[in-house]
Amino acid sequence: MSTFTHTHMHTRKFAALFLFLLTLTLCCLPQALAAQKPLLTFDEFFNSISYPSFELSPDGRAAVIEVERSDWEQNIYRHDLWLYRDDGKGGGSLTQLTQSGHDSDPQWSPDGRWIAFLSEREAPAGAKDTDSEDKKKHRGGETSQLHLIAVDGGEAFAVTANDEDVHAFAWTPDSRSLYFATRIPWTHAQKTAYKKEWKDVEQYRASERGDEIFRITVEEAIAQHRKQGTQPAPDDEDAAPAGTPGAQSLARSPLQVSEMVCSPDSRKLAFASNSISSRDELVEEFEIYTLDLTKAGSVQEPRRITRNQSPEHTLRWASDNRHVFFENGIGSVEGKYVDTQPRLYWVNVESGATQRWAADFTGSVDHYTPVASGVLIAARLGTEVQVYALTSPGAKAQPVAGWRGTYDGLRTTTGSSRILFHHSSLQQPAEIYLADSAEKLAQARPLTAFNKLFTERELPQGKPYRWTSDDGTAVEGMLIYPPGKFEAKNLPMLTLIHGGPADANGNHFEADWYEWQALAATRGWLVFQPNYRGSTGYGDKFLMQIVPEIVSRPGKDILTGVDALVKDGIADPNRLAISGYSYGGYMTNWLITQTTRFKAAMTGAGAVEHVANWGNDDTTFDDAYFLDGLPWEAAQRYHDEAAIFQIQKVRTPTHMVGGGDDIRVAVLENYLLDHALHVLGIPSTLLIFPGEGHSLTKNPWHGKIKVREELKWLEKYAGSAAANP
């Protein structure tokens, strides 16, 4: 071999090695750059911003967005409205519209000049106080009243002045008036007489009353606002008219009004009813009614247009003025009560005939919005929630090209092709986006950036995981990996079970006391989120197989998933923990009676038996459905599916939490579990959050303390995952 040839070959080898190293460097560069990002801290996690509601302006050139954030000094979740305006040059500005911290549920007037919203704010400073003592007691954040604010400037002012909450409201198409519903008002004399007879005794059910629907013109609301503080209190307060001055009564309902919408031609008002006790006990109390707005004068009797076994919600009129769209989440529109995945329907308001949209769609229809060509839906298939278009009730759902992840809250308007929506994915925090049309969904621009901090942190990566359950059924879930350990093996694992049960985990981002998987993963835990039988996104048959084995069937799905992850070498069998809240708490309570493999358990708002829980739960019709009968009809099933009757098997140290005022899953269930574990000598602790219901929405410190203590419990009994190599 000549010297030239030998040298040339060395040169080629060096060049090849250089190219290999360069390629390797470029391939690893994104990971190296990602690794330079700091990890998400505990405090940063709990400063996440959410967007409970948002609406697109009638011309599509502006949006009003409700922003929720934690106020750690006032111990509340602040709800303020922000206004986005398009600058006509491909951009725009976002400014704060209200600052009371108590403003929610905004709606644009059809002419785009006003935004109406609900607020629990106090009376404005400097206003002359002419209210009765009873009315004073209800002000200052205790009742929700209807307010107006001009889009072009000015302060918000109250439209209603009731002792009762405004339950629902709607604009007239000409923007001249607002409809609103409150509990039938009492005069001061009526309230005084009631208090004299009953003192502080609570008449359960008997003291409840239905709603009254009123109409008030914007002109009258402005006039009443200008009078504020200038009129003396009436001489005879007992004879003073109840309710909002200047409002005209249209109808009374024996039930509560949960939402209302006015037809485009102004001729009809449709509303959905709710139980007056706010307990979901009789499915027949949830229906759609209409009022004929062409009839003036006397108070009307609402006309019922649906008769089914399902609570209807999210009403929208179709452009034909003959149909009202609605969604259902539980129960059956077609016949006997059966829980299916969420579906979309419309009902003919004259005939009552109901048709289902997207009937061929396998997954769940989570959100929808009417458009000129039909409807757009945000629907779940497996771990993705994507947008689909439908042109008629019988049409096949056509996918709309967009981003991977989770879409929800689709908003459109008849005056524009634009679409306002909420989107997130595992590594993309939730923000509000605006697309010029459905065809340009993937080119949407963000209107908010309140969660930008999360994009500057190294967030966990995840992927779907599939296994076969004990009966041969394919099951899926999500794996959320610690930052920098994507697809690593032999990891300590936290099984985090979703509530519902009709829900699912997937490709979305959330950061709060309920969805804390990103924080657990950041602390070094592989988080396993199983979509067990009963979950949405996998077909009605898959969801319905939870009946009547409400915990034992899903329990087998979850445990076979844990076994598969151990067998695949992904999960460390000696470092397993489990947690869940609500129905996830049911499952956690059950599973620690079925296995001793978990080193630590954290459970919240979960039942351990079903008879007392059926009696205390505010959604009892689905409980009876899941267990195939009422307690006296299926006594053995209520026994067999209850953790309390197998509680002697528990060996897992268990941390418990519950809301002090929870009636969805009675807080007594937490005390029962705590007492049982204490008698058995199992390490346990119970935290009760005062004033909280089923969801911890009153004080942000409660949720933060909940997760803080759960992480401590994990480390104490399952070890520090962050120390895992």
Side-chain angles (χ1 to χ4, degrees), residues 174-433:
D174 62 7
S175 302
R176 294 180 179 178
S177 301
L178 283 155
Y179 300 105
F180 64 92
T182 70
R183 192 163 74 152
I184 297 170
W186 275 359
T187 63
H188 179 73
Q190 287 174 305
K191 287 178 281 191
T192 300
Y194 183 87
K195 185 176 181 179
K196 182 178 180 180
E197 180 176 3
W198 293 102
K199 308 301 181 188
D200 60 350
V201 175
E202 180 182 350
Q203 281 187 293
Y204 185 62
R205 299 192 196 282
S207 64
E208 297 292 345
R209 55 189 187 271
D211 274 14
E212 189 163 359
I213 298 175
F214 298 89
R215 173 175 177 161
I216 187 169
T217 65
V218 172
E219 183 180 8
E220 181 65 34
I222 294 172
Q224 292 295 333
H225 169 59
R226 289 172 177 167
K227 289 180 184 178
Q228 186 177 25
T230 65
Q231 299 297 313
D235 294 332
D236 184 2
E237 192 178 48
D238 287 353
T244 298
Q248 173 194 1
S249 177
L250 298 182
R252 285 189 172 185
S253 166
L255 298 165
Q256 188 178 109
V257 176
S258 59
E259 55 182 294
M260 58 172 66
V261 285
C262 189
S263 62
D265 63 5
S266 303
R267 298 176 65 86
K268 287 185 172 61
L269 184 73
F271 69 87
S273 65
N274 196 354
S275 163
I276 57 175
S277 68
S278 297
R279 288 176 175 264
D280 304 349
E281 297 173 312
L282 298 173
V283 71
E284 294 81 8
E285 294 178 327
F286 300 81
E287 300 292 354
I288 300 175
Y289 295 79
T290 58
L291 296 179
D292 187 345
L293 299 175
T294 64
K295 294 181 180 179
S298 61
V299 176
Q300 297 185 45
E301 179 78 17
R303 178 173 174 265
R304 181 176 170 180
I305 62 170
T306 58
R307 298 179 184 274
N308 56 52
Q309 294 286 298
S310 177
E312 302 89 351
H313 62 90
T314 319
L315 310 187
R316 300 282 187 274
W317 278 92
S319 58
D320 63 9
N321 292 293
R322 294 186 296 112
H323 291 88
V324 171
F325 288 99
F326 67 91
E327 291 180 280
N328 81 316
I330 57 176
S332 175
V333 172
E334 287 83 1
K336 181 182 176 182
Y337 186 99
V338 174
D339 271 354
T340 63
Q341 299 178 108
R343 293 175 173 180
L344 174 64
Y345 297 87
W346 73 359
V347 58
N348 186 303
V349 296
E350 297 300 331
S351 68
T354 302
Q355 289 178 288
R356 181 182 169 191
W357 287 67
D360 66 329
F361 190 76
T362 303
S364 62
V365 179
D366 295 350
H367 302 274
Y368 81 98
T369 184
V371 292
S373 58
V375 295
L376 293 176
I377 61 173
R380 174 178 294 279
L381 271 179
T383 58
E384 295 283 323
V385 180
Q386 295 293 302
V387 178
Y388 300 81
L390 297 105
T391 55
S392 67
K396 185 178 178 62
Q398 299 295 330
V400 177
W403 308 317
R404 292 183 63 81
T406 297
Y407 288 87
D408 63 20
L410 305 177
R411 297 289 188 272
T412 56
T413 178
T414 57
S416 172
S417 63
R418 288 182 164 179
I419 304 168
L420 188 69
F421 62 90
H422 179 283
H423 181 272
S424 74
S425 60
L426 284 173
Q427 294 200 300
Q428 187 65 40
E431 299 292 358
I432 305 300
Y433 296 84

